Amino acid sequence: GENVEQHPSTLSVQEGDSAVIKCTYSDSASNYFPWYKQELGKRPQLIIDIRSNVGEKKDQRIAVTLNKTAKHFSLHITETQPEDSAVYFCAASRTGGFKTIFGAGTRLFVKA
Amino acid sequence: GAGVSQSPRYKVAKRGQDVALRCDPISGHVSLFWYQQALGQGPEFLTYFQNEAQLDKSGLPSDRFFAERPEGSVSTLKIQRTQQEDSAVYLCASSLEGPETQYFGPGTRLLVL
């Protein structure tokens, strides 16, 4: 079945450093890839997304890259701040489909 | 405007009890999704509605799970004869249409004793 694998499961960085989270997907028809941030006890919030017709998208300190050939995509956070500490989920879905498949999450710790 | 809301926020049920979880999507959103999130895991798709039509229920774990959205707005997820393995956070999300740009509710944390 469809699957999204996410690595690492835990990531600890020093404030100001960069953080990279990687995901691979199995369904080659997937064409929409969102990233969600979930703070403890809170709802997942969409932070950035990318569609398969572009290879990279940036929003201030956050960027996402997509390699359709290799079926993987990555989240890059630069100049990390303590408030970036949360669990980040990648996901994949496709136009005309209804399911969104989520990765297992990456717990990011940013140390001040 | 108001976001997605869910009620109750917490529910404790005895094994065998029936529960009903409510989701109020963002007004005007055609698509509504239910997910189950186990502790330390990502959300797992349960079912999808487009207006009042349930177009995909392939993620419902058993026939004890039932969802409805009779008027195309509020949705209810019902779990009959709850089991301990049903303990999880149940998340609802809505979007204008389709799987893109989903907005999540705060979830209902269900604990089955």
Side-chain angles (χ1 to χ4, degrees):
Chain A
E2 302 123 331
N3 187 45
V4 173
E5 293 196 2
Q6 183 171 347
H7 300 280
S9 57
T10 307
L11 179 59
S12 185
V13 300
Q14 203 68 36
E15 182 179 3
D17 287 352
S18 295
V20 180
I21 302 170
K22 299 182 179 182
C23 290
T24 58
Y25 60 97
S26 61
D27 183 1
S28 56
S30 296
N31 59 0
Y32 176 69
F33 307 93
W35 286 88
Y36 286 86
K37 175 183 180 182
Q38 188 175 31
E39 297 177 53
L40 190 63
K42 301 285 182 65
R43 72 188 74 194
Q45 291 197 306
L46 180 68
I47 56 171
I48 195 167
D49 56 14
I50 191 168
R51 292 168 182 80
S52 60
N53 56 345
V54 297
E56 184 172 355
K57 183 176 177 181
K58 191 172 181 181
D59 183 4
Q60 299 183 339
R61 296 186 297 109
I62 293 173
V64 58
T65 58
L66 171 65
N67 183 328
K68 280 205 71 180
T69 304
K71 291 194 284 188
H72 66 68
F73 56 113
S74 301
L75 178 71
H76 305 252
I77 306 174
T78 58
E79 301 169 28
T80 52
Q81 301 166 3
E83 51 265 38
D84 294 330
S85 296
V87 179
Y88 291 81
F89 293 99
C90 61
S93 64
R94 55 187 170 95
T95 304
F98 313 122
K99 271 188 186 179
T100 297
I101 307 299
F102 283 79
T106 296
R107 186 171 295 278
L108 174 65
F109 296 96
V110 180
K111 296 176 285 187
Chain B
V4 179
S5 60
Q6 292 186 245
S7 61
R9 293 293 313 279
Y10 304 92
K11 177 70 180 177
V12 179
K14 291 183 180 177
R15 191 158 51 102
Q17 197 175 359
D18 296 350
V19 298
L21 313 180
R22 178 188 168 109
C23 172
D24 281 82
I26 294 172
S27 178
H29 277 196
V30 167
S31 297
L32 187 145
F33 306 80
W34 282 99
Y35 295 90
Q36 181 188 62
Q37 186 174 27
L39 194 63
Q41 297 296 315
E44 282 202 25
F45 172 86
L46 294 177
T47 187
Y48 166 76
F49 289 87
Q50 183 170 297
N51 295 308
E52 69 279 3
Q54 188 175 21
L55 298 186
D56 189 336
K57 55 181 181 179
S58 62
L60 296 177
S62 75
D63 58 9
R64 296 186 295 104
F65 288 70
F66 172 76
E68 60 183 5
R69 192 185 185 198
E71 296 177 2
S73 55
V74 170
S75 177
T76 304
L77 177 67
K78 298 179 179 177
I79 310 173
Q80 298 177 321
R81 305 181 302 281
T82 51
Q83 304 294 314
Q84 285 185 319
E85 61 262 30
D86 300 334
S87 296
V89 175
Y90 290 86
L91 292 164
C92 172
S94 72
S95 71
L96 277 172
E97 189 161 8
E100 298 191 4
T101 320
Q102 294 179 41
Y103 295 89
F104 279 84
T108 294
R109 187 175 296 275
L110 173 65
L111 177 62
V112 181
L113 302 176

XYZ file of all heavy atoms in Angstrom, chain A residues 31-32 34 36 38 41-46 49 51 89 93-105 107, chain B residues 3-5 9 33 35 37 40-43 45 48 50 55-56 58-59 91 99-106 109:
455
model
N 1.259 13.919 -5.912
C 1.675 15.185 -6.509
C 1.488 16.381 -5.593
O 1.653 17.535 -6.002
C 0.943 15.422 -7.836
C -0.559 15.451 -7.674
O -1.076 15.301 -6.572
N -1.258 15.665 -8.770
N 1.142 16.125 -4.323
C 0.994 17.216 -3.360
C 1.630 16.774 -2.052
O 1.327 15.683 -1.546
C -0.492 17.544 -3.154
C -0.738 18.588 -2.095
C -0.361 19.909 -2.290
C -1.337 18.248 -0.886
C -0.579 20.872 -1.318
C -1.559 19.200 0.094
C -1.179 20.511 -0.121
O -1.385 21.462 0.846
N 2.486 18.252 1.667
C 2.445 19.268 2.723
C 3.335 18.882 3.902
O 3.653 17.703 4.105
C 0.971 19.251 3.146
C 0.531 17.834 2.908
C 1.367 17.309 1.763
N 3.434 19.607 8.145
C 2.670 20.100 9.277
C 3.562 20.169 10.511
O 4.439 19.325 10.714
C 1.484 19.177 9.577
C 0.356 19.290 8.582
C 0.360 18.546 7.409
C -0.712 20.149 8.820
C -0.671 18.650 6.495
C -1.758 20.262 7.906
C -1.722 19.510 6.755
O -2.744 19.626 5.854
N 3.295 20.249 14.674
C 2.376 19.963 15.765
C 3.077 20.152 17.095
O 3.995 19.402 17.430
C 1.798 18.543 15.652
C 0.694 18.258 16.667
C 0.048 16.900 16.461
O 0.678 15.950 16.014
N -1.248 16.790 16.778
N 0.143 18.620 22.379
C -1.254 18.797 22.742
C -2.046 19.704 21.831
O -3.196 20.027 22.113
N -1.424 20.135 20.719
C -2.108 21.060 19.813
C -2.445 20.377 18.481
O -2.042 19.250 18.221
C -1.201 22.276 19.534
C -0.806 23.063 20.782
C -1.944 23.898 21.289
C -1.583 24.735 22.501
N -0.563 25.748 22.198
N -3.162 21.093 17.652
C -3.535 20.551 16.357
C -2.377 20.676 15.357
O -1.568 21.603 15.475
C -4.756 21.296 15.821
C -4.471 22.730 15.366
C -5.767 23.476 15.037
N -6.508 23.855 16.238
C -7.774 24.258 16.227
N -8.444 24.318 15.092
N -8.376 24.610 17.343
N -2.282 19.783 14.362
C -1.285 19.968 13.304
C -1.604 21.243 12.518
O -2.772 21.523 12.211
C -1.461 18.726 12.422
C -2.180 17.735 13.277
C -3.063 18.544 14.181
N -0.547 22.006 12.199
C -0.729 23.231 11.421
C 0.139 23.168 10.180
O 1.333 22.864 10.264
C -0.375 24.454 12.268
C -1.369 24.710 13.392
C -1.258 26.106 13.969
O -0.177 26.495 14.367
N -2.353 26.836 14.008
N -0.466 23.467 9.040
C 0.246 23.474 7.767
C 1.264 24.608 7.770
O 0.909 25.762 8.033
C -0.753 23.662 6.626
C -0.193 23.691 5.209
C 0.356 22.329 4.818
C -1.277 24.125 4.221
N 3.848 23.770 1.748
C 3.509 22.633 0.889
C 4.154 22.838 -0.479
O 4.576 23.942 -0.827
C 2.002 22.439 0.769
C 1.265 23.683 0.253
O 1.923 24.613 -0.267
O 0.026 23.744 0.385
N 3.891 21.332 -4.699
C 3.245 20.512 -5.703
C 4.298 19.985 -6.666
O 5.377 20.558 -6.796
C 2.157 21.309 -6.427
C 0.981 21.629 -5.506
C 0.016 22.641 -6.049
N -1.049 22.910 -5.086
C -0.954 23.707 -4.025
N 0.196 24.337 -3.805
N -1.957 23.888 -3.202
N 5.494 16.720 10.630
C 5.009 15.603 9.826
C 5.061 15.968 8.353
O 4.601 17.053 7.964
C 3.560 15.268 10.177
C 3.358 14.729 11.559
C 2.924 15.550 12.583
C 3.602 13.388 11.840
C 2.736 15.062 13.865
C 3.416 12.887 13.121
C 2.989 13.724 14.131
N -0.205 13.171 -1.051
C -1.520 12.827 -1.583
C -1.494 13.103 -3.084
O -0.504 13.601 -3.617
C -2.623 13.646 -0.907
O -2.465 15.027 -1.198
N -2.597 12.758 -3.758
C -2.625 12.988 -5.195
C -3.971 13.562 -5.630
O -4.990 13.291 -5.000
C -2.327 11.708 -5.966
C -3.198 10.521 -5.639
C -2.648 9.302 -6.364
N -3.283 8.075 -5.937
C -4.314 7.511 -6.558
N -4.826 8.083 -7.621
N -4.809 6.370 -6.115
N -3.928 14.324 -6.672
C -5.126 14.939 -7.235
C -6.110 13.850 -7.611
O -5.743 12.851 -8.233
C -4.761 15.759 -8.481
O -3.761 16.708 -8.141
C -5.992 16.480 -9.020
N -7.367 14.055 -7.219
C -8.385 13.061 -7.520
C -8.472 11.976 -6.482
O -9.420 11.176 -6.488
N -7.482 11.929 -5.601
C -7.534 10.969 -4.497
C -8.056 11.646 -3.250
O -8.205 12.871 -3.206
N -8.306 10.883 -2.228
C -8.864 11.423 -0.997
C -7.943 11.213 0.190
O -7.989 11.969 1.145
C -10.219 10.771 -0.716
C -11.128 10.734 -1.910
C -11.618 9.533 -2.390
C -11.463 11.893 -2.570
C -12.449 9.498 -3.495
C -12.293 11.870 -3.684
C -12.779 10.662 -4.148
N -7.116 10.194 0.093
C -6.243 9.880 1.216
C -5.038 10.785 1.240
O -4.435 11.073 0.203
C -5.720 8.446 1.085
C -6.566 7.394 1.700
C -5.827 6.068 1.673
C -6.722 4.968 2.158
N -6.082 3.663 2.130
N -4.683 11.215 2.465
C -3.380 11.827 2.680
C -2.611 10.878 3.586
O -3.117 10.475 4.636
C -3.520 13.203 3.338
O -4.241 14.075 2.461
C -2.153 13.806 3.629
N -1.424 10.485 3.156
C -0.603 9.558 3.931
C 0.467 10.372 4.651
O 1.214 11.123 4.009
C 0.063 8.509 3.028
C -0.978 7.805 2.158
C 0.831 7.485 3.894
C -2.042 7.058 2.918
N 0.517 10.224 5.969
C 1.457 10.974 6.790
C 2.663 10.116 7.164
O 2.547 8.895 7.336
C 0.786 11.440 8.083
C -0.114 12.625 7.916
C -1.393 12.483 7.396
C 0.315 13.893 8.263
C -2.231 13.575 7.234
C -0.511 14.994 8.110
C -1.783 14.832 7.586
N 3.806 10.769 7.318
C 4.954 10.141 7.926
C 4.754 10.015 9.428
O 3.794 10.566 9.981
N 5.683 9.322 10.080
C 5.554 9.059 11.513
C 5.965 10.246 12.372
O 5.734 10.245 13.579
C 6.374 7.824 11.900
N 6.577 11.254 11.770
C 6.912 12.466 12.509
C 8.370 12.549 12.916
O 9.046 11.531 13.089
N 10.588 14.626 15.860
C 10.550 15.518 17.022
C 11.807 16.375 16.979
O 12.922 15.859 17.105
C 10.483 14.699 18.307
C 10.288 15.541 19.553
C 10.010 14.669 20.777
N 8.764 13.942 20.668
C 7.565 14.435 20.949
N 7.458 15.677 21.405
N 6.489 13.696 20.833
N -12.073 28.512 13.081
C -11.410 27.347 12.515
C -12.259 26.111 12.712
O -13.436 26.178 13.057
N -11.647 24.952 12.501
C -12.315 23.681 12.711
C -12.430 23.450 14.219
O -11.446 23.628 14.952
C -11.528 22.533 12.056
C -12.222 21.201 12.298
C -11.353 22.786 10.564
N -13.610 23.073 14.666
C -13.768 22.761 16.083
C -14.244 21.318 16.248
O -14.890 20.760 15.341
C -14.743 23.729 16.762
O -16.019 23.658 16.168
N -13.479 17.525 23.757
C -12.019 17.531 23.637
C -11.420 16.283 24.281
O -10.388 15.792 23.828
C -11.433 18.779 24.291
C -11.791 20.078 23.596
C -11.143 20.175 22.196
N -9.740 19.810 22.224
C -8.762 20.610 22.591
N -9.028 21.846 22.956
N -7.507 20.199 22.569
N -12.276 15.383 6.473
C -11.478 14.176 6.709
C -11.490 13.836 8.196
O -11.455 14.727 9.045
C -10.019 14.407 6.300
C -9.819 14.903 4.903
C -10.001 16.251 4.598
C -9.431 14.036 3.894
C -9.811 16.720 3.309
C -9.233 14.500 2.595
C -9.428 15.848 2.304
N -9.155 11.496 10.923
C -7.905 10.789 11.130
C -7.844 10.246 12.549
O -8.449 10.802 13.467
C -6.699 11.732 10.944
C -6.518 12.283 9.551
C -7.118 13.486 9.174
C -5.736 11.616 8.618
C -6.948 14.003 7.904
C -5.551 12.133 7.330
C -6.166 13.320 6.989
O -5.990 13.832 5.721
N -4.932 9.413 15.423
C -3.522 9.622 15.725
C -3.173 8.926 17.030
O -3.583 9.343 18.116
C -3.179 11.111 15.816
C -1.678 11.367 15.979
C -1.303 12.840 15.937
O -2.092 13.724 16.262
N -0.067 13.123 15.501
N 2.572 9.327 19.586
C 3.879 9.277 18.952
C 3.865 8.917 17.474
O 4.920 8.640 16.901
N 2.696 8.929 16.868
C 2.568 8.570 15.454
C 1.946 9.708 14.655
O 1.386 10.656 15.222
C 1.704 7.324 15.296
C 2.286 6.087 15.955
C 3.585 5.667 15.325
O 3.718 5.620 14.098
N 4.581 5.383 16.156
N 2.030 9.583 13.330
C 1.364 10.544 12.473
C -0.115 10.219 12.344
O -0.551 9.111 12.645
N -0.909 11.198 11.901
C -2.337 10.930 11.681
C -2.530 9.840 10.623
O -1.824 9.806 9.623
C -2.861 12.279 11.168
C -1.871 13.295 11.642
C -0.553 12.603 11.636
N -5.348 8.163 8.073
C -6.615 8.440 7.405
C -7.668 7.415 7.803
O -7.419 6.202 7.807
C -6.393 8.394 5.892
C -7.643 8.468 5.067
C -8.191 9.693 4.727
C -8.276 7.312 4.627
C -9.346 9.761 3.951
C -9.424 7.372 3.856
C -9.958 8.600 3.515
N -13.327 10.047 4.327
C -13.393 11.335 3.617
C -14.819 11.599 3.139
O -15.493 10.705 2.618
C -12.444 11.311 2.421
C -12.671 12.428 1.431
C -12.228 13.714 1.734
C -13.312 12.216 0.218
C -12.421 14.755 0.840
C -13.521 13.258 -0.680
C -13.067 14.514 -0.364
O -13.265 15.556 -1.248
N -17.134 14.404 0.793
C -17.270 15.553 -0.103
C -18.729 15.976 0.024
O -19.621 15.266 -0.433
C -16.911 15.178 -1.530
C -16.960 16.346 -2.490
C -16.376 15.988 -3.845
O -15.189 15.667 -3.964
N -17.195 16.008 -4.865
N -17.025 9.451 0.334
C -16.410 8.911 -0.878
C -15.325 7.892 -0.603
O -14.943 7.146 -1.516
C -15.858 10.051 -1.738
C -16.883 11.056 -2.246
C -16.244 12.041 -3.210
C -18.062 10.353 -2.911
N -14.802 7.870 0.589
C -13.744 6.907 0.911
C -13.828 6.594 2.402
O -13.730 7.491 3.224
C -12.374 7.494 0.558
C -11.236 6.464 0.647
O -11.367 5.458 1.387
O -10.210 6.680 0.003
N -12.117 3.687 3.445
C -11.199 2.554 3.457
C -10.321 2.507 4.700
O -9.769 1.457 5.028
C -10.312 2.592 2.212
O -9.529 3.775 2.199
N -10.168 3.618 5.408
C -9.316 3.638 6.585
C -10.019 3.272 7.880
O -9.357 3.113 8.912
N -8.709 13.205 14.983
C -8.587 14.522 14.382
C -9.537 14.648 13.194
O -9.690 13.717 12.405
C -7.157 14.749 13.875
C -6.057 14.859 14.933
C -4.686 14.697 14.298
C -6.140 16.203 15.645
N -7.692 17.058 -1.151
C -6.737 16.826 -0.067
C -5.790 17.989 0.204
O -5.070 17.962 1.209
C -5.956 15.614 -0.565
C -6.023 15.713 -2.056
C -7.356 16.310 -2.371
N -5.786 19.015 -0.648
C -4.822 20.097 -0.449
C -5.309 21.097 0.597
O -6.483 21.360 0.725
C -4.561 20.810 -1.774
C -3.965 19.897 -2.827
C -3.448 20.636 -4.040
O -3.477 21.875 -4.051
O -2.995 19.969 -4.984
N -4.309 21.635 1.326
C -4.542 22.703 2.300
C -5.631 22.352 3.297
O -6.688 22.980 3.380
C -4.863 24.040 1.599
O -4.035 24.201 0.452
C -4.587 25.205 2.557
N -5.388 21.320 4.071
C -6.328 20.898 5.097
C -6.070 21.672 6.385
O -4.923 21.884 6.774
C -6.156 19.398 5.369
C -6.546 18.517 4.190
C -6.356 17.052 4.477
O -6.650 16.566 5.570
N -5.867 16.325 3.492
N -7.145 22.034 7.052
C -7.083 22.698 8.349
C -7.615 21.719 9.390
O -8.730 21.206 9.254
C -7.917 23.982 8.345
C -7.388 25.030 7.401
C -7.806 25.068 6.074
C -6.456 25.968 7.825
C -7.312 26.014 5.191
C -5.955 26.922 6.955
C -6.386 26.944 5.635
O -5.886 27.873 4.766
N -6.804 21.510 10.418
C -7.161 20.516 11.425
C -7.897 21.143 12.610
O -7.658 22.303 12.970
C -5.897 19.821 11.944
C -5.407 18.730 11.048
C -4.604 19.023 9.956
C -5.752 17.402 11.278
C -4.151 18.015 9.111
C -5.305 16.391 10.445
C -4.501 16.696 9.361
N -8.745 20.331 13.209
C -9.330 20.684 14.490
C -8.390 20.299 15.622
O -7.345 19.681 15.378
N -8.756 20.635 16.871
C -7.885 20.353 18.017
C -7.862 18.888 18.408
O -7.007 18.467 19.170
C -8.480 21.205 19.136
C -9.922 21.325 18.766
C -9.968 21.357 17.267
N -9.425 13.536 22.375
C -8.590 12.489 22.973
C -9.511 11.479 23.630
O -10.196 11.795 24.594
C -7.626 13.089 23.992
C -6.607 12.105 24.544
C -5.610 12.814 25.453
N -4.818 13.799 24.731
C -3.711 13.540 24.051
N -3.238 12.320 24.003
N -3.059 14.502 23.445
